[in-house]
Amino acid sequence: MTTSPEIIRVTDVSKRFVLHKEKSLKERALRLGRRSDHVEDFWALRDINLSIEAGSTVGLMGSNGSGKSTLLKVIGSIIQPTTGQVLRRGRLAALLELGAGFHPELTGRENVYLNAAILGMTRQETDRSFDDIVDFSGIESFIDTQVKFYSSGMYVRLAFAVAVHVDPDLLLVDEVLAVGDEPFQRKCMDQIRTFQEEGRTIVLVSHSAEQVGDLCDRAVLLRDGHMQFDGVPRDAIRELRAGFEEDRREEAERRGDAGRPVNRGKIQSVRLLTDTGEPLETMPSGSPMVCRVEIDLDDSVERWMMGFAIETPLGQRVYHVNTHTEGVELKLGRGRHEVEFALPAVPLGEGDYVVRIGAGEVAGEMIDLQAHAATFAVESPTAGNGVIAVDAAIDVLS
Ligand SMILES: Nc1ncnc2c1ncn2[C@@H]1O[C@H](COP(=O)(O)OP(=O)(O)OP(=O)(O)O)[C@@H](O)[C@H]1O
């Protein structure tokens, strides 16, 4: 097996920001308007080690403020790490903050030349690519308008068009693409796939599990500036969701301190069974499935409901049912309750699936949630791929 050469090496990188916290208005007034800054260190990244091989597509994931954009900027040398070092090879194109790299007073045309020059293109090279850049951006009629009058989508269109036409070895993309409209986002995704086929390296920040699962061969998960996970996207997504669940519980406990009872219920077990009561791990497509959930409640729980969902490992929901919307009343009272969801036929396509179970009061208060309550695999002999099993027949008509 040959391994690709390393294109990025991040060694022991930490990034500290200094936060200036303003004191209250009253204190400022007392100091007659002089700044009464209270300075605090904030570590946005802590001891990050990362080696990225040429030709790979890596997704940076994590909750808001976890350090994704900071890491991307450190990789792109837009900001310097406080400690540690970043080594990078090849030509870089980066699509970071909205408008970064564009001068607001210059026109789109002038910015294309300026931006391409910053990214390492000669004037002649830019002349040759100019029409393609404008064509890709789709904003031809605004190319001689100052970019300060551009909408966010127009900014991103032009910036992405320049970035992909400078022949980069490494493309860094922050979430900015999300402001483009749907056709443009699709065009960007097609371009990213072309880049992958051409063996270029891509590092992207995304909140979309779908996108990371679909595009990336590796995902790095950040939590509070630390690297929490580095591996295959589906495992990163599972870790990320487990973290969200943990946060939700902590949040519920905090709210509990403010007077509401906590731990009013807990899902104790979730079992997947065949219709004859055998444990179910792998099933043929179209066969029945039973899901039995045991939950303990305390007597403060009022009218409640339970939801059952089947998702792909990347979190795409393929089925959902809820006791309340189906008109099923659940029993009240302290102690163990058992709810069964019996599905007479599960016509899913071949693959792995995740069961998500949630319980909450009809009035809106969450009781418990297990985002990864159980998993199962479906085997299907049908033609094609997808989340539904369809046995397509193909005829050559002419
Ligand atoms: N220039 C800065 N000065 C001070 N703090 C900063 C600066 N840039 C980022 N931070 C802080 O560093 C932390 C990480 O920010 P970062 O933008 O990297 O997070 P993120 O994971 O990309 O978040 P999001 O998903 O919200 O985009 C945040 O708490 C942010 O407030």
Side-chain angles (χ1 to χ4, degrees), residues 226-350:
H226 294 265
M227 203 159 96
Q228 193 193 354
F229 182 87
D230 179 7
V232 288
R234 86 162 47 169
D235 294 341
I237 291 159
R238 185 182 306 170
E239 283 282 322
L240 178 66
R241 297 225 161 105
F244 287 154
E245 225 170 297
E246 206 177 289
D247 294 345
R248 187 192 60 76
R249 275 182 225 270
E250 279 171 13
E251 170 72 23
E253 273 169 28
R254 267 200 299 281
R255 272 189 283 130
D257 291 343
R260 275 209 159 271
V262 286
N263 300 331
R264 302 161 67 223
K266 182 153 182 40
I267 296 169
Q268 294 296 349
S269 74
V270 176
R271 282 177 303 148
L272 299 184
L273 305 166
T274 64
D275 55 345
T276 54
E278 303 296 319
L280 183 151
E281 286 172 10
T282 301
M283 63 185 287
S285 180
S287 56
M289 170 196 279
V290 173
C291 177
R292 260 186 220 149
V293 185
E294 288 183 311
I295 183 168
D296 284 347
L297 298 183
D298 81 9
D299 44 21
S300 69
V301 171
E302 294 178 7
R303 259 183 100 205
W304 65 290
M305 58 188 173
M306 185 178 280
F308 164 95
I310 299 176
E311 297 179 348
T312 65
L314 302 179
Q316 184 196 357
R317 184 163 289 190
V318 292
Y319 180 72
H320 181 229
V321 68
N322 179 307
T323 54
H324 180 58
T325 49
E326 296 308 311
V328 177
E329 278 300 319
L330 299 175
K331 292 182 183 154
L332 295 175
R334 186 183 196 83
R336 178 72 44 101
H337 296 257
E338 194 171 10
V339 181
E340 176 178 288
F341 298 90
L343 284 59
V346 181
L348 290 171
E350 186 149 307

Side-chain angles (χ1 to χ4, degrees), residues 84-95:
Q85 63 168 350
V86 176
L87 296 176
R88 214 184 51 229
R89 297 191 303 114
R91 185 184 271 188
L92 165 84
L95 202 65

Side-chain angles (χ1 to χ4, degrees), residues 100-114:
F102 277 176
H103 195 295
E105 299 296 328
L106 301 181
T107 65
R109 182 186 300 273
E110 290 161 340
N111 268 297
V112 167
Y113 278 92
L114 180 66

Side-chain angles (χ1 to χ4, degrees), residues 95 133-139 152-162 164 176-191:
L95 202 65
I133 293 174
V134 176
D135 191 45
F136 188 96
S137 74
I139 58 157
S152 330
M154 286 159 67
Y155 249 117
V156 160
R157 280 170 168 264
L158 195 59
F160 190 77
V162 177
V164 299
V176 287
L177 283 186
V179 306
D181 58 26
E182 214 178 290
F184 186 70
Q185 281 191 36
R186 199 165 306 142
K187 200 165 163 181
C188 295
M189 288 306 132
D190 289 346
Q191 185 61 49

Side-chain angles (χ1 to χ4, degrees), residues 15-20 42-45 61-73 79 97 174-175 205 207 222 225:
K15 178 68 191 175
R16 180 185 58 213
F17 289 116
V18 178
L19 299 181
H20 295 269
F42 175 80
W43 291 89
L45 293 176
M61 306 191 80
S63 52
N64 292 136
S66 54
K68 304 178 297 293
S69 303
T70 307
L71 179 56
L72 204 66
K73 284 183 202 153
I79 57 174
E97 274 158 350
D174 208 333
E175 280 261 85
V205 167
H207 284 288
L222 294 175

Side-chain angles (χ1 to χ4, degrees), residues 353-369:
Y353 296 90
V354 176
V355 170
R356 178 187 180 100
I357 302 288
E361 283 181 316
V362 172
E365 192 73 18
M366 172 70 86
I367 300 171
D368 197 13
L369 172 74

